[in-house]
């Protein structure tokens, strides 16, 4: 438990333990025992209690925090401009009347609250995630939390922090192909979170209300619900997908947008360093980056949203009246009354994106007709995919007695296939030595997540997809219990368990 001044308790290690230097650390300076050092401790106490005290005096020489880090470049802002090891640092007010115990000594060119770095660590820890090129996991980082956080704060405050290379990892896309991810180190993720926590509130004030991706208070379900409602009002949809968006972002255009809203020089400096940080491939090869932002970085979604805010959101509203759209990162759909309007917009958007260094995906971008209800026309494309759902015409029978074709959404075939493949990869052979309750503990959260996300529309369809889990469970039962001679007998055993214990798995309840 973490103790604050005043005996308040919060989780974790002592906040003072994290930041107050142990005596074994080198680089003591004689002026720390003067009036400014006592003020430092008073500021720390008031800061932990939530008051507006400003921490300015540092506990350790700048070179101490750098001894295990990356070499500095000549372009870095050196703390040696403001202090020399073994010499006192004199503030502009020292020697003036009234300095005494209220003297505050500033030794860092950038003011970054230590509490902010600790808050960034807690956010990164909550998001979990893997390790970067240094193979240091979150648990490894926590083993020396005090020193690790202090070193990061020390370097960021002095301007000497340079992000290490980003580890390249490739994962399979649901529709085939590979998606390149850039995984920063744990330390770098915390540093990015520091800047994100300061820059995001300002950027959020300007973002479009119908931009839903990676934003606080926004969700994919909100984007899907808005799209469903607008498909009933307008018959045509322009479904756009930007090809390799995160890898193709123009750095000059992005930094122009960043400078418009971010005014702190140190935040701008670190954002530029993250954009140009090299990528390390699996064979150890380093690739210099002149465009793009790593998909996997903490601050990358915020920068991507800002880029598309000016490339698409602001531009399309300025040039097209009555435009209605939903955007989730680089997945965009626009609604139109006529096909002619949708074709005209697609032509202009192709030109607009090319001017900004982007390209619409030639096969994933299409115009679709929302067939169903009062829209009874016959056209070639009557479906489109958005955020794992397929919007299209389906024959339905409502509780009110209506029967007919409606344009509704349900889990897409690509998403359903991915779910089945994930279920097949579970360790079914190993589970032959386990009991059903052990399988339940492993599967319950995953099944609940799928049912929760894909059950927004067409809940019966996602339940049918998850029936694949029941089939694999029947095969497991046949292999485990020798008295079950056939797969049909095993299926009956599982069906009986489902009727008696419907709460065991999320998709069993209500069936």
């Amino acid at each position: 438990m973490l103790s604050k001044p005043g005996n308040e308790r919060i989780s974790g290690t002592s906040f003072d333990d994290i930041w107050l230097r142990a005596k074994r650390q080198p680089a003591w300076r004689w002026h720390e025992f003067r009036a400014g050092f006592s003020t430092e401790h008073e500021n720390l106490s008031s800061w932990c209690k939530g008051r507006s005290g400003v921490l300015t005096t540092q506990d350790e020489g700048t070179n101490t925090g750098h001894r295990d880090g990356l070499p500095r470049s000549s372009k870095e802002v050196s703390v040696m401009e403001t202090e020399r090891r073994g010499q006192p640092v004199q503030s502009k007010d020292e020697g003036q009347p009234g300095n005494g115990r209220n003297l505050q000594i500033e030794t860092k060119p950038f003011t970054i609250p230590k509490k902010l770095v600790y808050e960034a660590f807690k956010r990164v820890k909550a998001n979990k995630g893997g390790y970067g090129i240094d193979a240091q996991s979150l648990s490894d980082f926590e083993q020396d939390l005090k020193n690790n956080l202090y070193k990061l704060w020390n370097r960021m405050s002095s301007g000497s922090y340079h992000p290490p290379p980003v580890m390249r990892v490739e994962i399979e896309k649901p529709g085939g192909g590979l998606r390149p991810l850039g995984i920063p180190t744990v330390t770098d993720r915390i540093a990015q979170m520091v800047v994100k926590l300061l820059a995001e509130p300002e950027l959020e004030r300007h973002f479009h209300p119908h931009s839903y991706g990676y934003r606080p208070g926004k969700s994919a379900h909100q984007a899907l619900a808005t799209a469903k409602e607008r498909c009933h009002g307008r018959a045509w949809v322009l479904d756009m997908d930007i090809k390799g968006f995160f890898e193709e972002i123009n750095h000059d255009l992005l930094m122009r947008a960043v400078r418009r809203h971010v005014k702190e020089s140190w935040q701008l400096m670190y954002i530029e360093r993250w954009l140009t940080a090299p990528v390390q491939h699996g064979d150890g090869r380093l690739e210099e980056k002149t465009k793009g932002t790593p998909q996997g970085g903490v601050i990358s979604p915020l920068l991507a949203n800002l880029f598309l805010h000016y490339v698409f959101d602001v531009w399309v509203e300025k040039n097209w009246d009555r435009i209605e759209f939903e955007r989730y990162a680089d997945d965009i759909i626009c609604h139109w009354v006529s096909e002619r309007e949708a074709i005209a917009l697609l032509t202009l958007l192709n030109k607009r994106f090319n001017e900004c260094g982007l390209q619409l995906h030639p096969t994933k971008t299409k115009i679709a007709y929302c067939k169903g209800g009062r829209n009874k026309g016959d056209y070639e494309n009557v479906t489109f995919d958005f955020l794992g759902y397929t919007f299209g015409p389906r024959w339905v029978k409502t509780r009110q007695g209506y029967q007919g074709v409606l344009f509704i959404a349900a889990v897409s075939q690509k998403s359903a296939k991915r779910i089945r493949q994930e279920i097949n990869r579970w360790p079914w052979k190993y589970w032959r030595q386990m009991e059903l309750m052990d399988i339940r503990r492993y599967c319950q959260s995953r099944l609940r997540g799928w049912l929760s996300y894909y059950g927004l529309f067409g809940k019966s369809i996602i339940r049918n997809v998850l029936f694949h889990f029941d089939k694999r469970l029947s095969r497991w039962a046949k292999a485990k219990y020798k008295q079950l001679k056939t797969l049909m007998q095993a299926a009956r055993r599982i069906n009986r368990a489902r009727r008696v214990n419907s709460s065991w798995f999320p998709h069993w309840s209500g069936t």
Side-chain angles (χ1 to χ4, degrees), residues 259-497:
R259 293 188 186 97
R260 185 169 184 174
H261 301 283
V262 178
K263 303 304 180 184
E264 290 287 344
S265 59
W266 66 272
Q267 296 179 28
L268 294 171
M269 177 182 66
Y270 287 129
I271 289 175
E272 286 188 288
R273 290 181 183 178
W274 283 316
L275 289 176
T276 57
V279 173
Q280 180 171 309
H281 294 264
D283 56 2
R285 175 174 51 91
L286 290 178
E287 176 188 350
E288 298 296 328
K289 298 295 293 183
T290 58
K291 61 180 179 179
T293 180
Q295 189 173 0
V298 172
I299 203 170
S300 294
L302 181 64
L303 298 178
N305 269 333
L306 179 62
F307 189 76
L308 279 181
H309 173 73
Y310 286 105
V311 171
F312 177 78
D313 300 355
V314 174
W315 180 87
V316 78
E317 280 207 329
K318 180 180 179 181
N319 290 275
W320 285 84
D321 295 331
R322 301 177 295 107
I323 181 71
E324 291 183 354
F325 70 89
E326 298 84 43
R327 181 174 67 82
Y328 194 96
D330 58 331
D331 289 332
I332 311 170
I333 56 174
C334 300
H335 304 266
W336 291 105
V337 175
S338 68
E339 183 182 19
R340 179 172 55 84
E341 289 179 313
I343 294 174
L345 177 62
L346 178 57
T347 302
L348 286 182
L349 283 176
N350 269 314
K351 181 179 178 182
R352 168 66 177 174
F353 284 128
N354 289 336
E355 291 173 349
C356 298
L358 301 176
Q359 180 184 358
L360 290 177
H361 200 288
T363 58
K364 295 182 179 180
T365 299
K366 63 180 181 179
I367 297 173
Y369 178 69
C370 303
K371 183 176 182 179
R374 63 183 182 181
N375 301 325
K376 303 183 182 299
D378 290 325
Y379 294 91
E380 181 179 0
N381 290 326
V382 292
T383 64
F384 67 91
D385 287 356
F386 185 54
L387 300 180
Y389 280 76
T390 294
F391 287 74
R394 299 177 187 273
W395 179 268
V396 297
K397 181 178 180 180
T398 66
R399 295 179 179 179
Q400 292 75 23
Y402 172 81
Q403 298 185 48
V405 176
L406 294 179
F407 194 80
I408 59 177
V411 56
S412 67
Q413 290 297 319
K414 292 180 181 179
S415 300
K417 180 180 179 180
R418 180 178 56 82
I419 291 173
R420 295 187 186 101
Q421 290 175 342
E422 177 67 21
I423 292 174
N424 289 338
R425 285 194 291 266
W426 290 351
W428 293 100
K429 290 184 178 180
Y430 171 74
W431 286 342
R432 292 177 184 177
Q433 306 174 19
M434 314 289 283
E435 297 300 327
L436 187 58
M437 289 298 97
D438 299 316
I439 299 177
R440 178 192 175 193
R441 281 191 291 269
Y442 180 91
C443 303
Q444 198 169 33
S445 61
R446 294 166 173 81
L447 295 172
R448 184 182 295 111
W450 287 327
L451 186 63
S452 175
Y453 181 77
Y454 293 107
L456 180 64
F457 309 121
K459 185 168 288 189
S460 61
I461 297 178
I462 183 59
R463 288 185 186 277
N464 289 337
V465 173
L466 295 180
F467 179 69
H468 183 74
F469 170 79
D470 295 357
K471 292 193 292 185
R472 290 307 306 256
L473 201 60
S474 299
R475 294 180 185 177
W476 166 83
K478 179 179 179 295
K480 180 176 178 61
Y481 300 107
K482 300 304 180 182
Q483 66 269 29
L484 300 177
K485 302 300 183 182
T486 66
L487 189 60
M488 183 63 67
Q489 290 177 338
R492 291 194 188 102
R493 176 73 65 87
I494 296 300
N495 287 337
R496 185 163 58 250

Side-chain angles (χ1 to χ4, degrees), residues 247-265:
E247 295 293 314
E248 299 295 330
I249 293 178
N250 184 287
H251 286 178
D252 293 334
L253 293 179
L254 175 58
M255 288 307 302
R256 187 188 306 176
V258 171
R259 293 188 186 97
R260 185 169 184 174
H261 301 283
V262 178
K263 303 304 180 184
E264 290 287 344
S265 59

Side-chain angles (χ1 to χ4, degrees), residues 173-214:
K173 292 182 178 180
L178 297 175
R179 174 179 288 115
L181 299 181
I183 310 300
T185 63
V186 173
T187 301
D188 198 40
R189 296 210 301 271
I190 298 172
Q192 292 186 34
M193 184 64 75
V194 169
V195 176
K196 180 184 177 183
L197 289 175
L198 293 174
E200 188 174 52
E202 168 62 23
L203 298 181
E204 278 293 320
R205 295 173 51 245
H206 303 278
F207 284 160
H208 196 279
H210 294 299
S211 168
Y212 298 91
Y214 310 109

Side-chain angles (χ1 to χ4, degrees), residues 16-29 32-33 37 59-61 64 67 146-147:
D16 289 339
D17 287 344
I18 292 175
W19 292 115
L20 296 182
R21 178 199 49 240
K23 290 186 178 181
R24 66 177 181 274
Q25 295 291 347
W28 287 72
R29 297 190 295 270
E32 291 179 341
F33 293 93
F37 182 68
D59 300 321
E60 187 175 352
T64 305
R67 60 183 179 272
K146 175 180 65 176
N147 288 331

